[in-house]
Amino acid sequence: MKKLLIAACSLVMALTVFAQTAKEYRNPIIPGYHPDPSCVRVGADYYLVNSSFQYFPGVPIFHSRDLVNWEQIGNVLTRKSQLPLKDATSWLGIYAPTIRYNNGTYYMITTNVGNGGNFLVTAKDPRGPWSEPVWLQQQGIDPSLLFEGDTCWMVSNPNSHITLCRIDPNTGKQLSPSTPIWDGTGGRYPEGPHIYKKDGYYYLLISEGGTELAHHLTIARSRNIYGPYEANPNNPILTNCNHKGESKQIQGTGHGDFVQDQNGNWWVVFLAYRNFGGSYHHLGRETYLAPVSWPEGEWPTVYGGEAIDTIMHAETLPLQPMPKAPQDYNFGSMTQFGPEWIHLGQPDEKAYEFTGKALRLHASKATHDSTDPNTWVGLRQTSPNVSYEAEIDCSGLKDAAAGMSVYQINDGHADLVVSKTKSTIKSQLRMKLKAIDYVVGSQIITNSKALKTGKVALRITSNGLMYNFFVKDGNGQWNSLGSLNCSLLSTEVAGGFTGVTVGLFCNGDSGYADFTRLKIN
């Protein structure tokens, strides 16, 4: 009996600790390339979606019980019919999505830039399956929805105006003319609109300043949804591009979405990026969280007007940790990719085979230098300090190459390659960079090493400032093939709207490569 009592007390104490709130939390809440967050609460559950641009599947969806800890539970756009990506680069594809919930149905509305424009999909379960796209008449990027009784409002930003209409969310039919309602406060690119009904006002939250250093959030309100809208005299309500935020590693704060927790407190999820090695960011725009004070009938204030930082001082909901993505992939025991894995464009399913011993990648004629379908599958880089180590059997290659790629955009990446011809097999570090000695589109091979066997290990490490590349032949020693400054794969240099992903690839005339393991430290 005494032992049972002790055990019961221990369990109660453990549950008490588990459910404790915290006085601070760490930003970003979802690190790595996870831009343009939108969040909805249903009961005590929170669901969040992000942009995905040219990657497939599209629109990652996360679940949380405390707004701090998140688990990716799937992707919204998982079928090719939902996500055409012809010729899409990281300038195109799926832009900012919005997720909403109404009367038992989840709605995700977004823009496929270059392949169709604005559309929405629906689901009864946020884990899916989600419906086929319902295409919409009103264009402009960053569409959002507001449900008010039986009315569904849609806002987006055609012609740099925040524009409103009514739609039938079941058919997509537009029920009222597209009407401009606000142009913002004068910042460039007014976008990312969301409307909230609170205390008899319609509050219109938007982003201005572009998605770079000057990114910020502004807000206006009106008693009538069509306006006129009165701008908050204390705009912007969120920015690090000011005296308080100028020394912070976190910059580019903007594109936010409000969510109210079950205790009645308000929060905002938003994107920002972390600079490394100066004014460069290569991990992409990430998802951040800040508390919001929003008294009845007054304007909202984000984090007391203080700058956003990596450590945020605010009382959280009771913390409930979520499962994390694996860090050690034994491909011999896998039968399918988890939701964290992504392809460049729509994949050819026949090129990816789980054999029971390895992940076999069949060579594609196209490479990831182009936007044509190619054999590439990867993960978002979520930490500046990281090591990726892959074990590969390349003996099945025939005039082809396989390896690991640190990828920002199709003309900005570095590849650790094992190539095989009829006579030789060797490893190389190849770089296709947009700015080396001011030469655009340079293809550089920094080093190469002849190999004795097709069974090799590849390693890519990073400390946030430099990528380092290594190869190991069989049971031999690690050999360095070179280094690369992370800034050369940054958004400022390479371009694009995403962030670094690390991929496994195989391309060439014929053959395949067997990846047996990928370990991340």
Side-chain angles (χ1 to χ4, degrees):
M1 179 63 71
K2 184 177 180 180
K3 290 182 178 179
L4 288 175
L5 183 60
I6 293 173
C9 291
S10 299
L11 179 60
V12 171
M13 291 176 63
L15 291 174
T16 301
V17 171
F18 182 77
Q20 281 184 342
T21 61
K23 298 296 184 182
E24 63 181 33
Y25 63 90
R26 180 173 291 275
N27 268 324
I29 54 171
I30 305 179
Y33 144 54
H34 293 100
D36 306 319
S38 174
C39 186
V40 66
R41 178 178 65 87
V42 180
D45 295 287
Y46 299 84
Y47 299 99
L48 183 147
V49 292
N50 297 109
S51 299
S52 53
F53 293 90
Q54 84 274 36
Y55 287 96
F56 188 98
V59 187
I61 183 165
F62 292 83
H63 172 239
S64 176
R65 303 275 292 184
D66 60 16
L67 287 170
V68 174
N69 297 289
W70 295 87
E71 176 193 10
Q72 187 176 354
I73 58 173
N75 295 276
V76 174
L77 306 175
T78 59
R79 303 186 299 277
K80 292 182 179 180
S81 58
Q82 296 171 307
L83 186 53
L85 288 170
K86 182 176 173 55
D87 298 327
T89 69
S90 60
W91 299 103
L92 301 174
I94 297 296
Y95 278 36
T98 295
I99 187 170
R100 293 293 183 258
Y101 177 81
N102 187 59
N103 289 335
T105 299
Y106 293 86
Y107 295 82
M108 191 283 297
I109 184 172
T110 189
T111 312
N112 188 336
V113 177
N115 282 279
N118 288 333
F119 68 95
L120 64 83
V121 292
T122 60
K124 294 298 183 180
D125 185 335
R127 291 165 177 81
W130 290 75
S131 71
E132 289 300 300
V134 175
W135 297 96
L136 302 167
Q137 177 183 333
Q138 181 170 292
Q139 294 302 298
I141 61 171
D142 306 350
S144 181
L145 300 175
L146 171 67
F147 290 92
E148 187 177 20
D150 295 330
T151 301
C152 180
W153 301 99
M154 171 187 168
V155 282
S156 59
N157 75 330
N159 302 314
S160 295
H161 304 288
I162 305 304
T163 299
L164 175 75
C165 69
R166 287 189 298 116
I167 65 168
D168 181 335
N170 298 310
T171 66
K173 181 179 179 181
Q174 187 163 323
L175 304 178
S176 67
S178 295
T179 303
I181 57 173
W182 197 42
D183 290 343
T185 63
R188 65 176 186 163
Y189 305 137
E191 57 193 16
H194 296 297
I195 297 182
Y196 313 87
K197 183 74 177 290
K198 183 179 184 295
D199 306 331
Y201 287 100
Y202 294 93
Y203 286 87
L204 176 55
L205 178 71
I206 73 168
S207 300
E208 299 186 50
T211 190
E212 302 89 25
L213 184 65
H215 207 31
H216 56 275
L217 287 179
T218 58
I219 195 167
R221 69 183 184 183
S222 174
R223 296 285 188 181
N224 187 313
I225 196 168
Y226 282 102
Y229 278 84
E230 169 199 5
N232 182 354
N234 293 317
N235 278 325
I237 62 170
L238 174 69
T239 184
N240 265 17
C241 189
N242 56 18
H243 181 68
K244 288 183 178 181
E246 63 184 355
S247 63
K248 303 297 184 183
Q249 182 188 28
I250 295 169
Q251 294 296 327
T253 55
H255 201 109
D257 193 9
F258 290 130
V259 62
Q260 188 178 30
D261 68 27
Q262 58 267 46
N263 297 330
N265 299 311
W266 287 89
W267 302 81
V268 62
V269 294
F270 56 97
L271 70 79
Y273 58 79
R274 288 177 288 172
N275 280 332
F276 297 94
S279 299
Y280 299 98
H281 73 282
H282 62 287
L283 297 187
R285 297 167 298 159
E286 306 170 296
T287 293
Y288 291 74
L289 176 72
V292 176
S293 173
W294 201 345
E296 183 176 354
E298 299 183 21
W299 295 103
T301 301
V302 177
Y303 199 40
E306 295 301 314
I308 302 302
D309 210 342
T310 51
I311 301 296
M312 299 287 287
H313 301 285
E315 185 170 353
T316 68
L317 290 166
L319 294 178
Q320 301 189 43
M322 289 287 180
K324 301 300 182 184
Q327 297 296 295
D328 192 351
Y329 294 91
N330 181 350
F331 293 118
S333 63
M334 292 173 57
T335 59
Q336 62 182 3
F337 293 114
E340 69 274 18
W341 289 88
I342 48 178
H343 301 272
L344 290 168
Q346 289 189 350
D348 176 2
E349 290 84 357
K350 296 178 181 178
Y352 306 89
E353 180 184 0
F354 290 99
T355 67
K357 296 182 179 179
L359 167 62
R360 179 167 293 177
L361 300 187
H362 294 270
S364 59
K365 297 288 185 181
T367 73
H368 43 283
D369 289 350
S370 72
T371 59
D372 295 328
N374 58 87
T375 303
W376 189 103
V377 62
L379 301 164
R380 294 164 173 86
Q381 183 183 340
T382 58
S383 172
N385 302 295
V386 69
S387 170
Y388 296 88
E389 188 174 317
E391 297 173 1
I392 318 174
D393 184 346
C394 294
S395 56
L397 291 177
K398 299 177 182 178
D399 287 327
M404 280 199 295
S405 176
V406 181
Y407 183 95
Q408 177 68 255
I409 193 171
N410 65 302
D411 51 8
H413 54 87
D415 305 330
L416 192 50
V417 182
V418 178
S419 60
K420 185 179 180 182
T421 64
K422 293 180 180 179
S423 57
T424 62
I425 183 167
K426 61 182 179 180
S427 60
Q428 296 175 315
L429 176 57
R430 299 178 183 173
M431 300 183 188
K432 186 166 187 180
L433 303 173
K434 296 189 72 173
I436 286 286
D437 296 331
Y438 304 101
V439 177
V440 175
S442 297
Q443 175 72 57
I444 302 126
I445 298 177
T446 65
N447 206 345
S448 64
K449 182 182 185 300
L451 300 174
K452 298 177 182 178
T453 174
K455 294 183 177 181
V456 299
L458 305 178
R459 178 188 287 168
I460 300 174
T461 67
S462 172
N463 61 4
L465 301 177
M466 300 291 295
Y467 287 108
N468 303 290
F469 303 86
F470 304 88
V471 62
K472 182 170 66 173
D473 190 357
N475 295 320
Q477 301 296 314
W478 287 106
N479 292 279
S480 173
L481 288 185
S483 300
L484 173 69
N485 195 298
C486 294
S487 65
L488 295 174
L489 293 180
S490 68
T491 298
E492 289 76 13
V493 176
F497 284 146
T498 60
V500 165
T501 54
V502 177
L504 311 177
F505 67 89
C506 184
N507 52 64
D509 288 338
S510 60
Y512 59 84
D514 283 339
F515 290 78
T516 55
R517 187 181 186 189
L518 176 65
K519 187 175 182 180
I520 307 170
N521 290 312

